[in-house]
């Protein structure tokens, strides 16, 4: 019994350090409800097993035993993570608490074989450099992911890719996670960003289309095949318009780069994420036609957020990717359409709609969070200690 208690206290403290690096030993003891002597003893064990490091905490003026602040151990466990976007890839080793200890980022030209080879090589490099400190791996990609298969990435025109091939140590059922970039960015925002501490949160991410996730009680709702959060494929668009997913009427067809090109009477862009980014920049600079197109898209986003809030009942909505920029530029249109579409009883006051805080690192940090979730269990930590 004592051994079980000790194990779960170790896991609880390690998780607390992961969620709030720099937390004091006294705060953790209070948070998980253990006596300070037992906390000091357990932290000592975590330091000895290279999970956590301890530093003297600043004096608080309180009496009693001086406390310490708790951090990732410099030789502690790491996760190897990769994030592929429509025009870059990044590979990093991330320590407890979500800090990158090594990272490589490169631009790419959407050549599938070259990008996958480069990411595989870099993940192999991280594995060789850090050896057994690397306990899990995770990959974020801009497309629909079921299990470890990238079903379709519309912005890259990639289909049916087995992402487990990217991790040299992959074993079925092992410590490897693949996920949609938008959903993973939502996981990261709920842990370390704009949604930290919120109960139920809808995260909406605008990139090649709209994606995201519903977070409840700290966990992403995944659905039957793990593909929940494809919000851009809800039929909030024009009913007759065909989406790249095969369905008609998807919300994406009203908000993506192609939609902007239609509004601006321009040709269908080859790279619609870069195109959207350019239109946003023109709108920010006050170019009237770009501004008008962005405002139209803003209304559609606001209306859709109302639909999500009516249907899912979150405490708050966080908007990321190109969406945080759009939220800023078309604030009035987003807000007006959001309030118009809300059920009256939800409007007093409406759940806040906030911009994401983690910027372009969201998907990578979300991948790290999912990989650490595999590690920060009683079993995962036992395996590290032994
Ligand atoms: Zn669709």
């Amino acid at each position: 019994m004592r051994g079980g208690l000790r194990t779960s206290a170790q896991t609880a403290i390690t998780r607390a350090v992961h969620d709030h690096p720099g937390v004091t030993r006294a705060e953790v003891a209070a948070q998980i409800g253990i006596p300070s002597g037992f906390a000091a003893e357990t932290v000592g064990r975590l330091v000895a097993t290279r999970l956590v490091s301890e530093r003297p905490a600043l004096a608080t003026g309180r009496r009693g035993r001086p406390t310490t602040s708790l951090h990732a151990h410099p030789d502690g466990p790491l996760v190897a993570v990769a994030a592929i976007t429509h025009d870059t890839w990044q590979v990093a080793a991330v320590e407890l608490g979500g800090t990158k200890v090594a990272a490589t980022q490169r631009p790419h030209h959407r050549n599938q074989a070259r990008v996958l080879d480069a990411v595989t090589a870099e993940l192999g490099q991280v594995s060789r450099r850090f050896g057994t400190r690397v306990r899990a791996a995770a990959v974020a990609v801009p497309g629909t992911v079921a299990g470890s298969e990238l079903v379709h990435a519309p912005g890259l025109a990639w289909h049916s890719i087995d992402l487990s091939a990217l991790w040299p140590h992959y074993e079925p059922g092992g410590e490897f996670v693949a996920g949609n970039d938008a959903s993973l960015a939502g996981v990261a925002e709920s842990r370390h960003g704009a949604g930290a501490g919120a109960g139920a949160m809808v995260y909406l991410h605008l990139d090649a289309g709209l994606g995201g996730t519903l977070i409840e009680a700290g966990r992403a709702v995944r659905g039957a095949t793990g593909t929940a959060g494809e919000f851009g494929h809800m039929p909030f668009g024009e009913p007759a318009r065909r989406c790249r997913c095969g369905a008609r009427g998807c919300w994406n067809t009203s908000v993506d780069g192609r939609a902007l090109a239609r509004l601006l009477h321009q040709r269908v862009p080859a790279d619609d994420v870069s195109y959207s980014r350019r239109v946003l920049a023109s709108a920010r600079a006050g170019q009237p036609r770009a501004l008008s197109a962005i405002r139209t898209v803003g209304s559609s986003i606001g209306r859709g957020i109302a639909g999500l809030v009516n249907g899912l009942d979150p405490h708050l909505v966080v908007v990321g990717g190109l969406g945080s920029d759009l939220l800023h530029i078309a604030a009035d249109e987003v807000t007006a359409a959001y309030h118009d579409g809300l059920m009256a009883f939800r409007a007093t006051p409406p759940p806040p709609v906030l911009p994401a805080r983690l910027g372009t690192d969201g998907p990578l940090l979300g991948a790290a969070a999912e990989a650490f979730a595999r590690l920060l269990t009683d079993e995962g930590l036992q395996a590290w200690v032994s």
Side-chain angles (χ1 to χ4, degrees), residues 91-94 99-104 126 129-130:
V91 169
V94 176
T99 302
K100 290 187 258 181
V101 295
T104 306
V126 167
R129 177 171 167 197
F130 295 105

Side-chain angles (χ1 to χ4, degrees), residues 233 243 245 247 250:
H233 303 281
C243 172
C245 75
C250 291

Side-chain angles (χ1 to χ4, degrees), residues 84 89 108-120 158:
I84 299 173
W89 59 260
H108 70 71
H109 301 286
R110 290 183 278 161
N111 179 305
Q112 182 182 320
R114 275 194 207 159
V115 175
L116 298 180
D117 283 355
V119 170
T120 307
W158 296 359

Side-chain angles (χ1 to χ4, degrees), residues 230 232-234 242-253:
E230 292 282 7
H233 303 281
M234 298 191 301
R242 181 77 77 183
C243 172
R244 281 177 279 186
C245 75
R248 282 188 202 274
C250 291
W251 188 11
N252 279 348
T253 64

Side-chain angles (χ1 to χ4, degrees), residues 295-320:
R295 284 175 172 158
T296 302
V297 167
S299 293
S300 175
I301 300 269
R303 200 161 49 243
I305 291 174
L308 288 167
V309 169
N310 287 341
L312 298 172
D313 191 24
H315 289 102
L316 88 164
V317 178
V318 175
V319 180

